[in-house]
Short mmCIF file of all heavy atoms in Angstrom, two decimals:
data_model
loop_
_atom_site.label_atom_id
_atom_site.label_comp_id
_atom_site.label_asym_id
_atom_site.label_seq_id
_atom_site.Cartn_x
_atom_site.Cartn_y
_atom_site.Cartn_z
N THR A 1337 -10.88 11.51 -75.52
CA THR A 1337 -11.60 11.31 -74.26
C THR A 1337 -12.24 12.63 -73.85
O THR A 1337 -11.63 13.68 -73.94
CB THR A 1337 -10.64 10.84 -73.16
OG1 THR A 1337 -10.00 9.64 -73.57
CG2 THR A 1337 -11.38 10.57 -71.86
N SER A 1338 -13.49 12.53 -73.39
CA SER A 1338 -14.17 13.68 -72.80
C SER A 1338 -14.81 13.22 -71.49
O SER A 1338 -14.79 12.03 -71.17
CB SER A 1338 -15.22 14.25 -73.76
OG SER A 1338 -16.19 13.28 -74.04
N THR A 1339 -15.35 14.16 -70.74
CA THR A 1339 -15.94 13.81 -69.45
C THR A 1339 -17.31 14.43 -69.30
O THR A 1339 -17.61 15.47 -69.87
CB THR A 1339 -15.05 14.28 -68.28
OG1 THR A 1339 -14.89 15.69 -68.37
CG2 THR A 1339 -13.71 13.61 -68.28
N VAL A 1340 -18.14 13.75 -68.48
CA VAL A 1340 -19.42 14.28 -68.05
C VAL A 1340 -19.31 14.39 -66.53
O VAL A 1340 -19.06 13.39 -65.85
CB VAL A 1340 -20.59 13.35 -68.45
CG1 VAL A 1340 -21.90 13.88 -67.90
CG2 VAL A 1340 -20.65 13.21 -69.96
N ARG A 1341 -19.46 15.61 -66.01
CA ARG A 1341 -19.30 15.86 -64.57
C ARG A 1341 -20.63 16.32 -63.98
O ARG A 1341 -21.28 17.19 -64.54
CB ARG A 1341 -18.26 16.94 -64.32
CG ARG A 1341 -16.89 16.61 -64.79
CD ARG A 1341 -15.93 17.79 -64.61
NE ARG A 1341 -14.65 17.50 -65.20
CZ ARG A 1341 -13.67 16.84 -64.59
NH1 ARG A 1341 -13.86 16.42 -63.37
NH2 ARG A 1341 -12.55 16.61 -65.21
N ARG A 1342 -20.96 15.77 -62.84
CA ARG A 1342 -22.13 16.21 -62.09
C ARG A 1342 -21.80 16.14 -60.60
O ARG A 1342 -20.95 15.37 -60.18
CB ARG A 1342 -23.36 15.32 -62.37
CG ARG A 1342 -23.84 15.34 -63.81
CD ARG A 1342 -24.40 16.70 -64.18
NE ARG A 1342 -24.92 16.72 -65.53
CZ ARG A 1342 -24.23 17.03 -66.61
NH1 ARG A 1342 -22.95 17.33 -66.51
NH2 ARG A 1342 -24.79 17.04 -67.79
N TRP A 1343 -22.48 16.94 -59.82
CA TRP A 1343 -22.29 16.96 -58.38
C TRP A 1343 -23.57 16.49 -57.71
O TRP A 1343 -24.68 16.78 -58.19
CB TRP A 1343 -21.94 18.36 -57.91
CG TRP A 1343 -20.50 18.69 -58.10
CD1 TRP A 1343 -19.52 18.68 -57.14
CD2 TRP A 1343 -19.84 19.07 -59.31
NE1 TRP A 1343 -18.32 19.02 -57.69
CE2 TRP A 1343 -18.48 19.27 -59.02
CE3 TRP A 1343 -20.26 19.25 -60.62
CZ2 TRP A 1343 -17.55 19.64 -59.97
CZ3 TRP A 1343 -19.34 19.62 -61.58
CH2 TRP A 1343 -18.00 19.81 -61.25
N ASP A 1344 -23.43 15.79 -56.58
CA ASP A 1344 -24.61 15.36 -55.83
C ASP A 1344 -24.99 16.42 -54.81
O ASP A 1344 -24.35 17.47 -54.71
CB ASP A 1344 -24.38 13.98 -55.19
CG ASP A 1344 -23.26 13.96 -54.16
OD1 ASP A 1344 -22.87 15.04 -53.64
OD2 ASP A 1344 -22.77 12.86 -53.85
N GLN A 1345 -26.03 16.15 -54.01
CA GLN A 1345 -26.54 17.14 -53.06
C GLN A 1345 -25.58 17.38 -51.90
O GLN A 1345 -25.73 18.33 -51.15
CB GLN A 1345 -27.93 16.72 -52.53
CG GLN A 1345 -27.94 15.43 -51.75
CD GLN A 1345 -28.16 14.20 -52.61
OE1 GLN A 1345 -27.96 14.21 -53.82
NE2 GLN A 1345 -28.60 13.12 -51.98
N HIS A 1346 -24.55 16.55 -51.74
CA HIS A 1346 -23.55 16.72 -50.69
C HIS A 1346 -22.29 17.42 -51.20
O HIS A 1346 -21.31 17.55 -50.47
CB HIS A 1346 -23.17 15.36 -50.09
CG HIS A 1346 -24.34 14.64 -49.53
ND1 HIS A 1346 -25.00 15.05 -48.38
CD2 HIS A 1346 -25.00 13.54 -49.96
CE1 HIS A 1346 -26.01 14.22 -48.13
NE2 HIS A 1346 -26.02 13.29 -49.08
N GLY A 1347 -22.31 17.83 -52.47
CA GLY A 1347 -21.18 18.54 -53.04
C GLY A 1347 -20.07 17.66 -53.57
O GLY A 1347 -19.00 18.16 -53.92
N ARG A 1348 -20.31 16.35 -53.65
CA ARG A 1348 -19.29 15.45 -54.19
C ARG A 1348 -19.37 15.40 -55.71
O ARG A 1348 -20.47 15.32 -56.27
CB ARG A 1348 -19.47 14.04 -53.63
CG ARG A 1348 -19.17 13.95 -52.15
CD ARG A 1348 -19.34 12.53 -51.67
NE ARG A 1348 -20.75 12.17 -51.77
CZ ARG A 1348 -21.49 11.75 -50.75
NH1 ARG A 1348 -20.97 11.61 -49.55
NH2 ARG A 1348 -22.76 11.45 -50.93
N GLU A 1349 -18.22 15.42 -56.34
CA GLU A 1349 -18.16 15.37 -57.80
C GLU A 1349 -18.14 13.91 -58.26
O GLU A 1349 -17.46 13.07 -57.68
CB GLU A 1349 -16.90 16.07 -58.29
CG GLU A 1349 -16.76 16.05 -59.79
CD GLU A 1349 -15.47 16.68 -60.27
OE1 GLU A 1349 -14.49 16.69 -59.51
OE2 GLU A 1349 -15.46 17.16 -61.41
N HIS A 1350 -18.89 13.64 -59.33
CA HIS A 1350 -18.91 12.32 -59.96
C HIS A 1350 -18.61 12.53 -61.44
O HIS A 1350 -19.13 13.45 -62.06
CB HIS A 1350 -20.28 11.65 -59.79
CG HIS A 1350 -20.66 11.45 -58.36
ND1 HIS A 1350 -20.26 10.35 -57.65
CD2 HIS A 1350 -21.35 12.23 -57.50
CE1 HIS A 1350 -20.72 10.44 -56.41
NE2 HIS A 1350 -21.39 11.58 -56.30
N VAL A 1351 -17.75 11.68 -61.99
CA VAL A 1351 -17.28 11.85 -63.36
C VAL A 1351 -17.43 10.54 -64.13
O VAL A 1351 -17.07 9.47 -63.64
CB VAL A 1351 -15.79 12.27 -63.39
CG1 VAL A 1351 -15.28 12.39 -64.82
CG2 VAL A 1351 -15.60 13.58 -62.64
N VAL A 1352 -17.97 10.65 -65.35
CA VAL A 1352 -17.98 9.53 -66.29
C VAL A 1352 -17.11 9.96 -67.45
O VAL A 1352 -17.31 11.02 -68.04
CB VAL A 1352 -19.40 9.17 -66.77
CG1 VAL A 1352 -19.35 8.16 -67.89
CG2 VAL A 1352 -20.23 8.64 -65.62
N ARG A 1353 -16.13 9.15 -67.78
CA ARG A 1353 -15.24 9.42 -68.91
C ARG A 1353 -15.79 8.73 -70.15
O ARG A 1353 -16.17 7.56 -70.10
CB ARG A 1353 -13.84 8.93 -68.62
CG ARG A 1353 -13.27 9.62 -67.40
CD ARG A 1353 -11.80 9.42 -67.23
NE ARG A 1353 -11.38 9.99 -65.95
CZ ARG A 1353 -11.17 11.28 -65.74
NH1 ARG A 1353 -11.35 12.13 -66.71
NH2 ARG A 1353 -10.81 11.72 -64.56
N VAL A 1354 -15.85 9.48 -71.24
CA VAL A 1354 -16.33 8.96 -72.52
C VAL A 1354 -15.13 8.91 -73.46
O VAL A 1354 -14.57 9.94 -73.80
CB VAL A 1354 -17.44 9.86 -73.11
CG1 VAL A 1354 -17.91 9.31 -74.45
CG2 VAL A 1354 -18.60 10.00 -72.13
N GLN A 1355 -14.73 7.71 -73.82
CA GLN A 1355 -13.59 7.54 -74.70
C GLN A 1355 -14.10 7.12 -76.07
O GLN A 1355 -14.83 6.15 -76.21
CB GLN A 1355 -12.64 6.48 -74.15
CG GLN A 1355 -11.37 6.35 -74.94
CD GLN A 1355 -10.39 5.40 -74.28
OE1 GLN A 1355 -10.78 4.51 -73.55
NE2 GLN A 1355 -9.12 5.60 -74.54
N LYS A 1356 -13.70 7.87 -77.09
CA LYS A 1356 -14.16 7.63 -78.45
C LYS A 1356 -13.04 7.00 -79.26
O LYS A 1356 -11.91 7.50 -79.28
CB LYS A 1356 -14.58 8.94 -79.10
CG LYS A 1356 -15.01 8.79 -80.54
CD LYS A 1356 -15.31 10.13 -81.16
CE LYS A 1356 -15.61 9.94 -82.64
NZ LYS A 1356 -15.60 11.18 -83.37
N SER A 1357 -13.37 5.91 -79.92
CA SER A 1357 -12.43 5.25 -80.83
C SER A 1357 -13.23 4.80 -82.04
O SER A 1357 -13.98 3.82 -81.97
CB SER A 1357 -11.75 4.08 -80.14
OG SER A 1357 -10.86 3.44 -81.03
N GLY A 1358 -13.13 5.54 -83.13
CA GLY A 1358 -13.97 5.25 -84.30
C GLY A 1358 -15.41 5.60 -84.00
O GLY A 1358 -15.70 6.68 -83.51
N VAL A 1359 -16.33 4.67 -84.26
CA VAL A 1359 -17.74 4.92 -83.98
C VAL A 1359 -18.15 4.44 -82.59
O VAL A 1359 -19.23 4.74 -82.11
CB VAL A 1359 -18.66 4.27 -85.04
CG1 VAL A 1359 -18.44 4.89 -86.39
CG2 VAL A 1359 -18.48 2.77 -85.08
N LEU A 1360 -17.28 3.67 -81.93
CA LEU A 1360 -17.60 3.12 -80.62
C LEU A 1360 -17.13 4.06 -79.52
O LEU A 1360 -16.05 4.63 -79.59
CB LEU A 1360 -16.94 1.76 -80.44
CG LEU A 1360 -17.29 1.01 -79.16
CD1 LEU A 1360 -18.78 0.66 -79.15
CD2 LEU A 1360 -16.48 -0.26 -79.05
N ARG A 1361 -17.97 4.20 -78.49
CA ARG A 1361 -17.61 5.00 -77.33
C ARG A 1361 -17.69 4.12 -76.09
O ARG A 1361 -18.66 3.40 -75.91
CB ARG A 1361 -18.55 6.20 -77.19
CG ARG A 1361 -18.19 7.29 -78.18
CD ARG A 1361 -19.42 8.00 -78.66
NE ARG A 1361 -19.07 9.08 -79.57
CZ ARG A 1361 -19.15 8.96 -80.89
NH1 ARG A 1361 -19.53 7.83 -81.43
NH2 ARG A 1361 -18.85 9.97 -81.66
N SER A 1362 -16.67 4.20 -75.26
CA SER A 1362 -16.62 3.45 -74.01
C SER A 1362 -16.83 4.42 -72.88
O SER A 1362 -16.16 5.45 -72.81
CB SER A 1362 -15.27 2.76 -73.86
OG SER A 1362 -15.04 1.88 -74.92
N LEU A 1363 -17.75 4.10 -71.98
CA LEU A 1363 -18.05 4.94 -70.83
C LEU A 1363 -17.54 4.24 -69.58
O LEU A 1363 -17.73 3.03 -69.43
CB LEU A 1363 -19.54 5.18 -70.71
CG LEU A 1363 -20.19 6.12 -71.72
CD1 LEU A 1363 -20.27 5.49 -73.08
CD2 LEU A 1363 -21.56 6.53 -71.25
N ALA A 1364 -16.91 5.00 -68.68
CA ALA A 1364 -16.41 4.45 -67.43
C ALA A 1364 -16.61 5.48 -66.32
O ALA A 1364 -16.18 6.62 -66.45
CB ALA A 1364 -14.93 4.11 -67.55
N CYS A 1365 -17.24 5.05 -65.24
CA CYS A 1365 -17.49 5.93 -64.10
C CYS A 1365 -16.29 5.88 -63.15
O CYS A 1365 -15.81 4.81 -62.79
CB CYS A 1365 -18.75 5.47 -63.37
SG CYS A 1365 -19.18 6.50 -61.95
N ASP A 1366 -15.81 7.06 -62.74
CA ASP A 1366 -14.69 7.15 -61.81
C ASP A 1366 -15.11 6.80 -60.38
O ASP A 1366 -14.27 6.44 -59.56
CB ASP A 1366 -14.08 8.55 -61.81
CG ASP A 1366 -13.26 8.83 -63.06
OD1 ASP A 1366 -13.10 7.92 -63.89
OD2 ASP A 1366 -12.80 9.98 -63.20
N THR A 1367 -16.40 6.91 -60.07
CA THR A 1367 -16.88 6.67 -58.71
C THR A 1367 -17.10 5.19 -58.43
O THR A 1367 -16.80 4.72 -57.34
CB THR A 1367 -18.20 7.44 -58.47
OG1 THR A 1367 -17.97 8.82 -58.76
CG2 THR A 1367 -18.67 7.30 -57.04
N CYS A 1368 -17.63 4.47 -59.39
CA CYS A 1368 -17.91 3.04 -59.20
C CYS A 1368 -17.31 2.27 -60.37
O CYS A 1368 -16.64 2.83 -61.23
CB CYS A 1368 -19.42 2.80 -59.08
SG CYS A 1368 -20.37 3.20 -60.55
N ASP A 1369 -17.55 0.99 -60.44
CA ASP A 1369 -16.96 0.15 -61.50
C ASP A 1369 -17.85 0.04 -62.73
O ASP A 1369 -17.64 -0.84 -63.56
CB ASP A 1369 -16.66 -1.25 -60.95
CG ASP A 1369 -15.50 -1.23 -59.98
OD1 ASP A 1369 -14.64 -0.36 -60.12
OD2 ASP A 1369 -15.47 -2.11 -59.10
N TRP A 1370 -18.82 0.92 -62.88
CA TRP A 1370 -19.74 0.86 -64.02
C TRP A 1370 -19.01 1.17 -65.31
O TRP A 1370 -18.25 2.12 -65.40
CB TRP A 1370 -20.87 1.87 -63.79
CG TRP A 1370 -21.89 1.93 -64.87
CD1 TRP A 1370 -22.95 1.10 -65.05
CD2 TRP A 1370 -21.98 2.92 -65.91
NE1 TRP A 1370 -23.68 1.49 -66.14
CE2 TRP A 1370 -23.11 2.60 -66.69
CE3 TRP A 1370 -21.22 4.02 -66.25
CZ2 TRP A 1370 -23.49 3.36 -67.79
CZ3 TRP A 1370 -21.60 4.78 -67.36
CH2 TRP A 1370 -22.73 4.44 -68.10
N ARG A 1371 -19.22 0.31 -66.29
CA ARG A 1371 -18.63 0.49 -67.62
C ARG A 1371 -19.64 0.00 -68.65
O ARG A 1371 -20.35 -0.97 -68.41
CB ARG A 1371 -17.35 -0.31 -67.79
CG ARG A 1371 -16.25 0.14 -66.88
CD ARG A 1371 -14.99 -0.68 -67.11
NE ARG A 1371 -13.95 -0.31 -66.17
CZ ARG A 1371 -13.18 0.76 -66.28
NH1 ARG A 1371 -13.33 1.55 -67.30
NH2 ARG A 1371 -12.28 1.04 -65.37
N ILE A 1372 -19.65 0.69 -69.80
CA ILE A 1372 -20.55 0.28 -70.87
C ILE A 1372 -19.99 0.81 -72.19
O ILE A 1372 -19.28 1.81 -72.22
CB ILE A 1372 -21.99 0.82 -70.62
CG1 ILE A 1372 -22.98 0.19 -71.57
CG2 ILE A 1372 -22.02 2.32 -70.71
CD1 ILE A 1372 -24.43 0.50 -71.25
N ASN A 1373 -20.29 0.10 -73.26
CA ASN A 1373 -19.97 0.58 -74.61
C ASN A 1373 -21.25 1.12 -75.22
O ASN A 1373 -22.32 0.54 -75.04
CB ASN A 1373 -19.42 -0.55 -75.48
CG ASN A 1373 -18.05 -0.99 -75.04
OD1 ASN A 1373 -17.26 -0.19 -74.57
ND2 ASN A 1373 -17.77 -2.26 -75.17
N ALA A 1374 -21.14 2.22 -75.93
CA ALA A 1374 -22.31 2.83 -76.55
C ALA A 1374 -21.93 3.42 -77.89
O ALA A 1374 -20.89 4.07 -78.01
CB ALA A 1374 -22.87 3.92 -75.66
N GLN A 1375 -22.77 3.19 -78.88
CA GLN A 1375 -22.51 3.78 -80.19
C GLN A 1375 -23.26 5.10 -80.34
O GLN A 1375 -22.78 6.02 -80.96
CB GLN A 1375 -22.93 2.82 -81.29
CG GLN A 1375 -22.56 3.31 -82.67
CD GLN A 1375 -22.79 2.26 -83.74
OE1 GLN A 1375 -23.18 1.14 -83.45
NE2 GLN A 1375 -22.56 2.62 -84.98
N PHE A 1376 -24.45 5.19 -79.71
CA PHE A 1376 -25.29 6.38 -79.84
C PHE A 1376 -25.56 7.00 -78.48
O PHE A 1376 -25.73 6.30 -77.49
CB PHE A 1376 -26.62 6.02 -80.51
CG PHE A 1376 -26.45 5.41 -81.87
CD1 PHE A 1376 -26.65 4.06 -82.06
CD2 PHE A 1376 -26.06 6.19 -82.95
CE1 PHE A 1376 -26.49 3.49 -83.32
CE2 PHE A 1376 -25.89 5.63 -84.20
CZ PHE A 1376 -26.10 4.28 -84.39
N LEU A 1377 -25.60 8.31 -78.43
CA LEU A 1377 -25.95 9.11 -77.25
C LEU A 1377 -25.14 8.74 -76.00
O LEU A 1377 -25.70 8.54 -74.92
CB LEU A 1377 -27.45 8.97 -76.96
CG LEU A 1377 -28.38 9.40 -78.08
CD1 LEU A 1377 -29.81 9.04 -77.73
CD2 LEU A 1377 -28.25 10.88 -78.34
N PRO A 1378 -23.83 8.67 -76.09
CA PRO A 1378 -23.05 8.27 -74.91
C PRO A 1378 -23.14 9.27 -73.77
O PRO A 1378 -23.14 8.87 -72.61
CB PRO A 1378 -21.62 8.16 -75.45
CG PRO A 1378 -21.60 9.09 -76.62
CD PRO A 1378 -22.97 8.98 -77.23
N TRP A 1379 -23.23 10.57 -74.07
CA TRP A 1379 -23.28 11.57 -73.00
C TRP A 1379 -24.62 11.50 -72.27
O TRP A 1379 -24.66 11.69 -71.07
CB TRP A 1379 -23.02 12.95 -73.59
CG TRP A 1379 -21.63 13.01 -74.12
CD1 TRP A 1379 -20.49 13.31 -73.41
CD2 TRP A 1379 -21.20 12.72 -75.44
NE1 TRP A 1379 -19.39 13.22 -74.23
CE2 TRP A 1379 -19.79 12.85 -75.49
CE3 TRP A 1379 -21.86 12.34 -76.61
CZ2 TRP A 1379 -19.04 12.63 -76.63
CZ3 TRP A 1379 -21.10 12.13 -77.76
CH2 TRP A 1379 -19.71 12.27 -77.76
N LEU A 1380 -25.68 11.17 -72.98
CA LEU A 1380 -26.98 10.98 -72.32
C LEU A 1380 -26.93 9.77 -71.40
O LEU A 1380 -27.43 9.82 -70.27
CB LEU A 1380 -28.09 10.83 -73.36
CG LEU A 1380 -29.49 10.63 -72.81
CD1 LEU A 1380 -29.91 11.81 -71.95
CD2 LEU A 1380 -30.48 10.42 -73.94
N LYS A 1381 -26.33 8.68 -71.84
CA LYS A 1381 -26.19 7.49 -71.00
C LYS A 1381 -25.35 7.80 -69.77
O LYS A 1381 -25.63 7.32 -68.67
CB LYS A 1381 -25.59 6.34 -71.79
CG LYS A 1381 -26.50 5.81 -72.88
CD LYS A 1381 -25.82 4.71 -73.67
CE LYS A 1381 -26.58 4.35 -74.91
NZ LYS A 1381 -27.79 3.63 -74.73
N ALA A 1382 -24.32 8.61 -69.93
CA ALA A 1382 -23.49 9.01 -68.79
C ALA A 1382 -24.30 9.82 -67.80
O ALA A 1382 -24.23 9.58 -66.58
CB ALA A 1382 -22.28 9.80 -69.28
N GLU A 1383 -25.08 10.79 -68.28
CA GLU A 1383 -25.93 11.59 -67.40
C GLU A 1383 -26.95 10.73 -66.67
O GLU A 1383 -27.19 10.92 -65.48
CB GLU A 1383 -26.64 12.67 -68.21
CG GLU A 1383 -25.74 13.77 -68.69
CD GLU A 1383 -26.47 14.78 -69.56
OE1 GLU A 1383 -27.71 14.71 -69.67
OE2 GLU A 1383 -25.79 15.65 -70.14
N GLU A 1384 -27.55 9.78 -67.37
CA GLU A 1384 -28.52 8.88 -66.74
C GLU A 1384 -27.87 8.06 -65.63
O GLU A 1384 -28.45 7.90 -64.55
CB GLU A 1384 -29.14 7.95 -67.78
CG GLU A 1384 -30.09 8.63 -68.72
CD GLU A 1384 -30.58 7.72 -69.84
OE1 GLU A 1384 -30.06 6.59 -69.98
OE2 GLU A 1384 -31.49 8.15 -70.56
N HIS A 1385 -26.67 7.55 -65.88
CA HIS A 1385 -25.97 6.79 -64.84
C HIS A 1385 -25.70 7.65 -63.62
O HIS A 1385 -25.96 7.22 -62.49
CB HIS A 1385 -24.65 6.21 -65.37
CG HIS A 1385 -23.79 5.65 -64.28
ND1 HIS A 1385 -24.09 4.45 -63.66
CD2 HIS A 1385 -22.69 6.14 -63.66
CE1 HIS A 1385 -23.19 4.22 -62.71
NE2 HIS A 1385 -22.33 5.24 -62.69
N LEU A 1386 -25.19 8.86 -63.83
CA LEU A 1386 -24.88 9.74 -62.70
C LEU A 1386 -26.13 10.08 -61.90
O LEU A 1386 -26.08 10.13 -60.67
CB LEU A 1386 -24.20 11.00 -63.20
CG LEU A 1386 -22.79 10.79 -63.78
CD1 LEU A 1386 -22.29 12.07 -64.43
CD2 LEU A 1386 -21.83 10.29 -62.72
N THR A 1387 -27.25 10.28 -62.58
CA THR A 1387 -28.50 10.59 -61.89
C THR A 1387 -29.02 9.39 -61.11
O THR A 1387 -29.36 9.51 -59.94
CB THR A 1387 -29.56 11.06 -62.91
OG1 THR A 1387 -29.08 12.23 -63.56
CG2 THR A 1387 -30.89 11.35 -62.23
N GLU A 1388 -29.07 8.24 -61.75
CA GLU A 1388 -29.66 7.05 -61.13
C GLU A 1388 -28.77 6.43 -60.06
O GLU A 1388 -29.24 6.05 -58.99
CB GLU A 1388 -30.00 6.02 -62.20
CG GLU A 1388 -31.09 6.50 -63.14
CD GLU A 1388 -31.28 5.59 -64.34
OE1 GLU A 1388 -30.64 4.51 -64.41
OE2 GLU A 1388 -32.07 5.96 -65.22
N ALA A 1389 -27.48 6.29 -60.33
CA ALA A 1389 -26.60 5.59 -59.41
C ALA A 1389 -26.05 6.47 -58.29
O ALA A 1389 -25.80 5.98 -57.20
CB ALA A 1389 -25.43 4.98 -60.19
N HIS A 1390 -25.86 7.75 -58.56
CA HIS A 1390 -25.20 8.62 -57.59
C HIS A 1390 -26.02 9.84 -57.19
O HIS A 1390 -25.55 10.66 -56.40
CB HIS A 1390 -23.85 9.09 -58.16
CG HIS A 1390 -22.97 7.96 -58.59
ND1 HIS A 1390 -22.45 7.04 -57.71
CD2 HIS A 1390 -22.55 7.58 -59.82
CE1 HIS A 1390 -21.73 6.15 -58.37
NE2 HIS A 1390 -21.77 6.46 -59.66
N GLN A 1391 -27.24 9.98 -57.72
CA GLN A 1391 -28.09 11.14 -57.47
C GLN A 1391 -27.32 12.44 -57.72
O GLN A 1391 -27.51 13.44 -57.04
CB GLN A 1391 -28.67 11.13 -56.05
CG GLN A 1391 -29.69 10.04 -55.80
CD GLN A 1391 -29.06 8.68 -55.62
OE1 GLN A 1391 -28.08 8.56 -54.90
NE2 GLN A 1391 -29.60 7.67 -56.26
N ALA A 1392 -26.45 12.41 -58.72
CA ALA A 1392 -25.64 13.57 -59.07
C ALA A 1392 -26.31 14.28 -60.23
O ALA A 1392 -26.27 13.83 -61.36
CB ALA A 1392 -24.22 13.13 -59.46
N THR A 1393 -26.95 15.41 -59.94
CA THR A 1393 -27.74 16.10 -60.94
C THR A 1393 -27.32 17.55 -61.18
O THR A 1393 -27.82 18.19 -62.09
CB THR A 1393 -29.22 16.09 -60.55
OG1 THR A 1393 -29.36 16.70 -59.26
CG2 THR A 1393 -29.78 14.68 -60.50
N VAL A 1394 -26.43 18.08 -60.36
CA VAL A 1394 -26.03 19.48 -60.49
C VAL A 1394 -24.99 19.58 -61.60
O VAL A 1394 -23.92 19.00 -61.55
CB VAL A 1394 -25.44 20.02 -59.17
CG1 VAL A 1394 -24.99 21.46 -59.35
CG2 VAL A 1394 -26.48 19.92 -58.06
N ASN A 1395 -25.35 20.34 -62.64
CA ASN A 1395 -24.48 20.53 -63.81
C ASN A 1395 -23.81 21.89 -63.69
O ASN A 1395 -24.46 22.91 -63.83
CB ASN A 1395 -25.30 20.44 -65.09
CG ASN A 1395 -24.46 20.58 -66.34
OD1 ASN A 1395 -23.27 20.83 -66.28
ND2 ASN A 1395 -25.09 20.41 -67.48
N PRO A 1396 -22.50 21.94 -63.46
CA PRO A 1396 -21.83 23.23 -63.28
C PRO A 1396 -21.80 24.06 -64.56
O PRO A 1396 -21.68 25.27 -64.50
CB PRO A 1396 -20.42 22.83 -62.87
CG PRO A 1396 -20.24 21.48 -63.46
CD PRO A 1396 -21.61 20.82 -63.40
N ALA A 1397 -21.93 23.44 -65.70
CA ALA A 1397 -21.89 24.17 -66.97
C ALA A 1397 -23.14 25.03 -67.18
O ALA A 1397 -23.12 25.98 -67.95
CB ALA A 1397 -21.73 23.20 -68.13
N LYS A 1398 -24.22 24.73 -66.49
CA LYS A 1398 -25.46 25.48 -66.66
C LYS A 1398 -25.58 26.64 -65.70
O LYS A 1398 -26.53 27.38 -65.74
CB LYS A 1398 -26.66 24.54 -66.51
CG LYS A 1398 -26.73 23.54 -67.63
CD LYS A 1398 -28.03 22.85 -67.67
CE LYS A 1398 -28.06 21.90 -68.86
NZ LYS A 1398 -29.34 21.35 -69.09
#
Side-chain angles (χ1 to χ4, degrees):
T1337 303
S1338 61
T1339 59
V1340 176
R1341 298 175 186 275
R1342 297 293 183 270
W1343 279 259
D1344 63 19
Q1345 63 271 21
H1346 302 290
R1348 292 181 294 237
E1349 179 183 27
H1350 300 274
V1351 178
V1352 172
R1353 300 193 186 280
V1354 179
Q1355 186 174 26
K1356 177 185 175 194
S1357 179
V1359 296
L1360 186 64
R1361 283 146 178 99
S1362 301
L1363 287 72
C1365 181
D1366 286 356
T1367 304
C1368 64
D1369 289 332
W1370 180 81
R1371 295 181 184 281
I1372 191 171
N1373 290 326
Q1375 186 171 357
F1376 302 106
L1377 301 172
W1379 295 274
L1380 180 60
K1381 292 177 191 288
E1383 289 177 8
E1384 289 174 351
H1385 169 74
L1386 292 172
T1387 299
E1388 294 171 6
H1390 306 294
Q1391 291 76 46
T1393 58
V1394 178
N1395 182 356
K1398 293 193 177 189

